[in-house]
Amino acid sequence: MATQSSSYQVDGLIAEDIDAYLALHQNKSLLRFITCGSVDDGKSTLIGRLLYDSKMIFEDQLASLEADSKRVGTQGQEIDFALLVDGLAAEREQGITIDVAYRFFATEKRKFIVADTPGHEQYTRNMVTGASTADCAVILIDGRKGVLTQTRRHSYLAHLIGIRHIILAVNKMDLVDYDESRFDEIVADYREFATSIGIKEFTAIPLSGLAGDNIASKSEETPWYDGPTLIEHLETIELDSDRDQAKPFRMPVQWVNRPNLDFRGFAGVIASGTLRPGDPVRVLPSGRTSTVARIVTMDGDRDVAVAEESVTVTLADEIDCSRGDVIAAADAPPQTADQFQATIVWMDADEMLPGRAYWMKMGTRTVSATVQEPKHAVDMNSLAELSVKTLGLNDIGVCEVYTDRDIAFEPYEENHDLGGFILIDKMTNATVAAGMLDFALRRSQNVHWQAVDVTREAHASIKNQKPCVLWFTGLSGSGKSTIANLVEKKLHVMGRHTFLLDGDNIRHGLNRDLGFTDADRIENIRRIGDVAKLMADAGLIVLTAFISPFRAERDMVRAILPEGEFMEVFINTPLEVAEGRDTKGLYAKARQGKLKNFTGIDSPYEPPENPDIEVDTTKMSAEDAAEAIVQRVLGR
Amino acid sequence: MNDTTTAGAAEGTRHLTHLQRLESESIHILREVVAETEKPVMLYSVGKDSAVMLHLAKKAFYPSPPPFPLMHVDTTWKFQDMYRLRDRAAAEAGMELIVHQNPEAKARGINPFDHGGLHTDMWKTEGLKQALNEHGFDAAFGGARRDEEKSRAKERVFSFRSATHRWDPKSQRPELWRLYNARKAKGESIRVFPLSNWTELDIWQYILAENIEIVPLYLAAPRPTVVRDGLVLMVDDDRFPLKEGEEPVERSIRFRTLGCYPLTGAVESTASTLSEVIQEMLLTTTSERQGRAIDHDQAASMEKKKQEGYF
């Protein structure tokens, strides 16, 4: 059974010409792969076999392996390779692998790092962890059992985490008499499933970890199989890092190297692309541009550096750039955004709290982020979408994620460094989730921030005033426009630079495409809020007069403005009073059912809980109200 | 940039070697710790792994010197050659060197000849905890590799220790992509292993490729030895108590791993150059740790020591 199959290393060369051997091995590449399968698929045996055949097992380990095999092994008097890789004491007793373990072996062409990931149901988090750095996944199937639920789950996870190379290792072929039709049947089954979840290609290999068939050398037992052996295939798979070199340049800044005033280097790992001195680059999210001056190393300056390399870069200009920023190709920068759709794998025993702020670490940037209620979760047995309120340990779901500031990002499938993130509990510091950004929620985020030299402070100071947004809210007919208009006139007379955004006027122009559904009302306010913010950035005192019925949207506008610049003015007029005035005849129409979704009639109004200014129009004249508001604005 | 990228592709992809990839990963880990922790330190044992780790630190922060001190948790029983290289290497790197010797072990005269397991426990395990507490380091780099031993294969790169320095294999944080979570509560610390994914062969190849200075004891030379319990021990200084009738014999030996000289077994060898050492290593059939007396007792002994706070 456990025949000593051919070694991967050329022992002869080691003995005869060690320098030639070393020269040969100095230029090996590195491939990381994961192995997944259920407990009994023979995964540990396969890994043990790979280590054994590549001579990564020494004589003393072998002696203890032989002794252990007889004592606790499952192979009678034969060597139990599984014992080589089952590590922690508790696991040994249970006879299962419960964590991610990393193993190493090498062939003539490559060094391999194997993430040994568990087949046990509750350990999705470990498999995702092991898979996150892998170029390739080896999915084991017991030739007697075929495609199982477990197989589907592992394949789904491997695909989800973006592994492009899937090897279907149909193991234990010795136990099905190396039957070609059995192999074909399993491959057909798997192909049907794989196609359904979007796996475009995979390589199926019939093998036996125990007997060594089709692992290092072609098995005589499977003359009908003309594909590569497992090792041959692993040696030729294209590396993700090679592929990333052709993409545009991106490097998250990890550390700023400042030994003295004359040197300012930006250290980090190149996430994608190729970099040369002289290349124009853009720093995100600020948007400032410069060119690469030097690529500095201890062994002298480099004229090129590529994806996966840790480098230190200096720029031609003194521009702001610090840890967490991304240096990118100037003409092909990544997007920046603060709202995303993401796929989240929950990894903590405490379930996710939608709306709770977690630390989100992506690239070298850590920001505060909230996760919204899942759009759906994935049932790991059927892979069907489930409607859920939250995510628990080992759950996978699609959620919206809001960050507290703009971050440079790319969809995960394009760039794992700029799209893969972890969530950290702010209290326990535990890593509670892993996530993959799918896309930014707002298409407008495709636009990059253009850095400006005249700042909002400069705009304001030339006007000799403190900008603010006076946000008037209240029912239709409450007197918002009247009072706002008076306030503006007073400020104008006093030489203040103001602008009044009025509901009806905006609806004729900027927002003429919007109606009065809840969704359109939210969008209406969002646009107005952004316009108001731009005007405040320009140094203006902005007045807005919109019903703006929902608290959440008013709070959203408050959040995008600097502290203290949003002043909520609640024009408090009871519905009966406003309806009694009915200056535009709208209430009458609404009552007759000719106007749908009218605030106060068939659409709710949420009054402010803590307005900055409140005006009761049943007790105060418009003129007095305007004067009081002007005093508040100038008294700031 | 697009043009440059296209040009790059036309010239062909630059394939990074496994050593370049390992180097880059280690440098990333070193920088990440400096960026995210308050007071890191590099544990420096003067062995070949330490030599590689120190070399990587120099590269990671060049042209700055590595922004943390080196710390040697000394047992007073290391080889004399190790002390010599230690002091010189720290000075050349422009780094502060902290040497910690457990004062209690010193006072009680704990030594490997008379005290067995207590020697390792007091000088190393306790000594390390003392030194970390005394200086208030919140992160400590160590040169351990996952290929050394089965329980290490599962340890994280960032390994969290409670305020009492215990390691709980059940509550380690998942490590995805290149993202390491270095957040911790006051009093907690992290042991960080930048060489996690290196194998013994990688270490040797890198030492050769980068011309890194190592303790001469790794290369074979005639040295005074005695044989005890199957281990070839070097009589490194006159503290070595010779048994009656025992006479040091000169043998051509080298060491695959360096610790306290009375606990470290040598191999008989004539490999006096690095490539000869690698050659022997590749042809040899015993694993690296066999030369160390400490983890022979039981299969799970390393795991036990780790839970107690041994590095």
Side-chain angles (χ1 to χ4, degrees):
Chain A
M1 286 270 281
T3 49
Q4 182 110 29
S5 67
S6 73
S7 144
Y8 311 141
Q9 295 172 344
V10 183
D11 288 0
L13 192 57
I14 296 172
E16 284 156 25
D17 188 350
I18 183 66
D19 292 321
Y21 173 87
L22 286 172
L24 190 71
H25 280 254
Q26 211 65 265
N27 294 313
K28 276 188 283 202
S29 56
L30 173 64
L31 179 91
R32 294 173 188 247
F33 68 94
I34 59 164
T35 51
C36 18
S38 40
V39 183
D40 304 317
D41 292 336
K43 181 163 50 97
S44 295
T45 304
L46 177 68
I47 298 169
R49 161 70 64 180
L50 290 170
L51 302 185
Y52 183 83
D53 282 1
S54 69
K55 301 253 168 111
M56 295 307 275
I57 299 168
F58 294 104
E59 207 167 68
D60 55 328
Q61 292 173 322
L62 200 57
S64 97
L65 173 69
E66 276 165 359
D68 282 357
S69 297
K70 290 186 179 127
R71 204 163 46 82
V72 292
T74 56
Q75 301 299 321
Q77 292 302 298
E78 299 292 338
I79 289 178
D80 185 353
F81 291 109
L83 293 175
L84 269 176
V85 291
D86 287 343
L88 302 188
E91 296 172 32
R92 273 201 196 187
E93 279 149 29
Q94 290 175 37
I96 49 163
T97 313
I98 58 166
D99 208 336
V100 190
Y102 296 89
R103 313 285 172 189
F104 310 88
F105 70 97
T107 68
E108 286 293 301
K109 292 181 182 146
R110 273 192 175 157
K111 167 183 165 133
F112 296 94
I113 300 179
V114 190
D116 182 7
T117 58
H120 223 266
E121 204 160 312
Q122 63 267 47
Y123 293 108
T124 296
R125 87 169 204 169
N126 294 330
M127 184 181 152
V128 168
T129 302
S132 70
T133 51
D135 296 276
C136 166
V138 177
I139 297 189
L140 270 101
I141 284 189
D142 183 331
R144 296 167 302 176
K145 296 180 184 162
V147 177
L148 302 176
T149 301
Q150 195 95 250
T151 316
R152 295 192 189 96
R153 188 167 24 225
H154 293 145
S155 303
Y156 172 79
L157 288 173
H159 184 59
L160 179 83
I161 210 88
I163 293 179
R164 294 185 309 117
H165 303 282
I166 306 268
I167 298 175
L168 187 71
V170 183
N171 196 22
K172 304 194 181 181
M173 285 303 290
D174 50 329
L175 300 182
V176 293
D177 299 326
Y178 301 98
D179 180 20
E180 180 181 8
S181 59
R182 177 63 186 146
F183 176 75
D184 291 344
E185 183 188 350
I186 290 172
V187 173
D189 265 9
Y190 187 78
R191 174 162 293 122
E192 191 182 334
F193 160 73
T195 311
S196 76
I197 62 163
I199 294 175
K200 292 194 188 74
E201 49 184 348
F202 62 91
T203 302
I205 304 173
L207 49 83
S208 164
L210 202 60
D213 295 296
N214 289 329
I215 292 177
S217 52
K218 275 214 181 338
S219 171
E220 287 169 13
E221 307 283 357
T222 54
W224 44 266
Y225 173 72
D226 59 3
T229 64
L230 180 61
I231 288 296
E232 273 168 9
H233 189 58
L234 288 170
E235 281 180 336
T236 51
I237 284 173
E238 184 198 21
L239 301 171
D240 287 349
S241 58
D242 286 354
R243 201 164 167 262
D244 288 342
Q245 288 180 25
K247 298 179 182 172
F249 172 74
R250 279 109 182 67
M251 183 186 92
V253 176
Q254 198 182 6
W255 188 69
V256 180
N257 194 341
R258 197 104 230 238
N260 56 58
L261 291 176
D262 302 324
F263 187 91
R264 194 152 152 269
F266 304 103
V269 180
I270 299 177
S272 66
T274 301
L275 187 72
R276 292 185 175 81
D279 283 350
V281 289
R282 186 182 296 267
V283 176
L284 295 167
S286 79
R288 294 182 188 280
T289 56
S290 185
T291 51
V292 175
R294 300 169 56 198
I295 303 169
V296 181
T297 79
M298 196 165 85
D299 310 313
D301 281 9
R302 298 265 299 272
D303 51 17
V304 64
V306 296
E308 283 289 310
E309 288 192 280
S310 278
V311 295
T312 300
V313 175
T314 65
L315 301 180
D317 309 278
E318 278 268 335
I319 58 173
D320 260 4
C321 182
S322 52
R323 176 171 167 87
D325 289 344
V326 175
I327 302 180
D331 61 357
Q335 308 169 42
T336 63
D338 59 0
Q339 297 192 11
F340 309 92
Q341 177 174 304
T343 304
I344 288 180
V345 182
W346 200 255
M347 298 186 157
D348 200 58
D350 293 337
E351 64 183 24
M352 179 178 99
L353 285 180
R356 151 88 59 97
Y358 296 97
W359 293 118
M360 171 179 171
K361 186 173 184 185
M362 191 172 83
T364 56
R365 166 93 69 196
T366 302
V367 297
S368 189
T370 56
V371 185
Q372 312 307 306
E373 203 173 285
K375 293 184 163 176
H376 66 260
V378 177
D379 180 312
M380 288 309 291
N381 289 316
S382 65
L383 300 181
E385 291 183 4
L386 298 173
S387 172
V388 292
K389 293 282 177 201
T390 184
L391 299 176
L393 180 63
N394 293 313
D395 283 349
I396 296 175
V398 172
C399 306
E400 291 186 356
V401 176
Y402 303 161
T403 57
D404 67 346
R405 72 195 80 168
D406 274 345
I407 53 174
F409 80 100
E410 283 190 296
Y412 178 79
E413 65 172 355
E414 282 166 36
N415 192 317
H416 291 193
D417 283 290
L418 268 67
F421 63 89
I422 54 171
L423 295 177
I424 300 165
D425 185 290
K426 290 189 175 185
M427 294 296 291
T428 65
N429 292 319
T431 301
V432 294
M436 290 149 281
L437 295 183
D438 300 325
F439 50 81
L441 286 184
R442 296 193 211 142
R443 297 294 104 195
S444 62
Q445 296 292 355
N446 276 313
V447 185
H448 312 294
W449 284 108
Q450 185 62 48
V452 288
D453 292 325
V454 180
T455 61
R456 66 192 313 278
E457 288 74 23
H459 286 298
S461 77
I462 202 172
K463 296 182 184 68
N464 199 24
Q465 65 183 28
K466 266 174 130 176
C468 68
V469 174
L470 284 168
W471 190 276
F472 290 79
T473 173
L475 293 171
S476 174
S478 61
K480 297 182 299 296
S481 296
T482 310
I483 299 172
N485 202 25
L486 283 172
V487 171
E488 190 183 26
K489 278 206 280 196
K490 285 176 188 287
L491 289 169
H492 186 73
V493 167
M494 296 161 92
R496 306 294 157 160
H497 299 258
T498 60
F499 195 82
L500 172 61
L501 289 164
D502 184 79
D504 292 338
N505 299 346
I506 294 285
R507 280 200 173 270
H508 283 133
L510 177 66
N511 290 353
R512 68 175 162 213
D513 56 323
L514 299 178
F516 290 89
T517 62
D518 282 1
D520 278 1
R521 282 170 181 272
I522 291 168
E523 174 59 13
N524 182 43
I525 297 305
R526 190 197 64 74
R527 289 188 198 173
I528 292 158
D530 265 354
V531 170
K533 179 185 183 294
L534 287 175
M535 290 185 162
D537 284 349
L540 299 180
I541 294 170
V542 188
L543 302 94
T544 68
F546 302 89
I547 299 172
S548 44
F550 305 131
R551 234 170 257 141
E553 279 63 57
R554 298 191 302 263
D555 287 348
M556 180 176 83
V557 181
R558 184 189 291 275
I560 62 173
L561 283 159
E563 183 81 27
E565 286 193 16
F566 180 83
M567 300 178 77
E568 194 170 25
V569 184
F570 178 29
I571 306 302
N572 190 356
T573 303
L575 178 63
E576 336 51 280
V577 178
E579 190 170 356
R581 292 175 190 159
D582 205 7
T583 40
K584 297 171 197 162
L586 297 173
Y587 282 97
K589 278 194 194 164
R591 290 290 182 197
Q592 290 158 17
K594 291 181 186 163
L595 200 56
K596 288 282 169 206
N597 298 318
F598 195 75
T599 302
I601 308 298
D602 58 349
S603 181
Y605 178 78
E606 299 170 359
E609 281 166 333
N610 295 297
D612 298 275
I613 299 170
E614 182 167 349
V615 173
D616 183 343
T617 60
T618 61
K619 295 190 178 127
M620 202 180 211
S621 72
E623 182 62 35
D624 289 351
E627 189 55 37
I629 293 166
V630 167
Q631 291 311 315
R632 281 290 297 277
V633 171
L634 299 179
R636 288 186 311 140
Chain B
M1 188 59 215
N2 271 346
D3 292 348
T4 328
T5 309
T6 317
E11 285 164 29
T13 314
R14 280 159 206 278
H15 300 288
L16 299 182
T17 67
H18 71 296
L19 291 177
Q20 287 170 323
R21 294 271 303 273
L22 290 170
E23 177 189 77
S24 176
E25 179 186 68
S26 300
I27 286 175
H28 172 76
I29 292 163
L30 289 159
R31 289 169 172 172
E32 200 62 12
V33 170
V34 164
E36 295 229 329
T37 65
E38 284 164 30
K39 198 173 176 188
V41 65
M42 180 171 279
L43 297 177
Y44 181 69
S45 71
V46 215
K48 64 185 194 307
D49 302 307
S50 279
V52 166
M53 188 164 63
L54 174 59
H55 184 79
L56 290 164
K58 291 197 264 184
K59 285 192 142 187
F61 302 102
Y62 178 86
S64 297
F68 42 77
L70 287 175
M71 185 163 76
H72 183 217
V73 179
D74 189 19
T75 64
T76 73
W77 290 95
K78 302 293 175 186
F79 293 91
Q80 294 309 312
D81 272 355
M82 293 170 73
Y83 293 118
R84 281 188 282 272
L85 178 64
R86 177 191 73 187
D87 298 343
R88 197 172 64 245
E92 279 171 9
M95 297 167 77
E96 182 197 352
L97 173 69
I98 298 167
V99 175
H100 182 88
Q101 298 170 342
N102 181 351
E104 197 195 334
K106 213 169 184 176
R108 286 173 56 185
I110 302 295
N111 69 74
F113 298 105
D114 304 322
H115 300 103
L118 191 63
H119 169 80
T120 304
D121 183 53
M122 286 201 64
W123 283 111
K124 293 182 81 172
T125 311
E126 284 308 311
L128 174 63
K129 288 188 213 172
Q130 283 172 357
L132 293 174
N133 288 341
E134 191 181 311
H135 295 274
F137 293 120
D138 65 339
F141 294 110
R145 307 187 319 264
R146 284 172 173 154
D147 80 322
E148 281 176 81
E149 199 267 340
K150 266 191 248 182
S151 84
R152 280 200 166 141
K154 307 196 171 194
E155 185 152 359
R156 305 288 193 264
V157 175
F158 280 46
S159 179
F160 284 78
R161 304 300 160 112
S162 66
T164 54
H165 300 285
R166 284 187 73 92
W167 178 70
D168 176 4
K170 297 265 179 229
S171 76
Q172 296 294 305
R173 297 171 180 175
E175 291 176 344
L176 294 106
W177 301 292
R178 272 188 261 272
L179 295 173
Y180 299 101
N181 170 5
R183 292 185 174 262
K184 56 198 170 336
K186 230 178 168 50
E188 291 175 349
S189 58
I190 326 173
R191 310 280 170 86
V192 182
F193 305 107
L195 304 180
S196 287
N197 287 326
W198 296 60
T199 62
E200 188 182 7
L201 178 59
D202 297 328
I203 293 285
W204 282 119
Q205 284 187 300
Y206 191 71
I207 288 170
L208 184 67
E210 296 281 306
N211 198 20
I212 298 169
E213 182 175 7
I214 50 169
V215 181
L217 295 163
Y218 285 113
L219 304 179
R223 295 181 172 107
T225 61
V226 297
V227 178
R228 283 190 186 169
D229 306 326
L231 288 182
V232 180
L233 299 176
M234 174 175 165
V235 184
D236 191 53
D237 61 32
D238 52 18
R239 290 182 295 175
F240 196 104
L242 292 171
K243 290 180 183 159
E244 215 170 289
E246 211 172 39
E247 189 68 42
V249 178
E250 189 160 285
R251 291 183 172 88
S252 180
I253 56 162
R254 65 178 180 86
F255 293 85
R256 296 186 56 191
T257 169
L258 292 174
C260 293
Y261 78 80
L263 294 173
T264 311
V267 289
E268 292 201 54
S269 164
T270 54
S272 59
T273 65
L274 268 181
S275 37
E276 283 169 10
V277 168
I278 298 173
Q279 181 175 38
E280 272 195 5
M281 193 211 108
L282 290 169
L283 296 175
T284 195
T285 49
T286 46
S287 72
E288 194 177 5
R289 284 206 157 253
Q290 208 192 22
R292 285 192 195 171
I294 95 163
D295 49 338
H296 267 323
D297 335 352
Q298 35 181 315
S301 70
M302 179 61 80
E303 194 177 325
K304 235 178 203 158
K305 287 193 173 64
K306 236 166 35 176
Q307 288 183 18
E308 287 154 10
Y310 178 75
F311 212 80

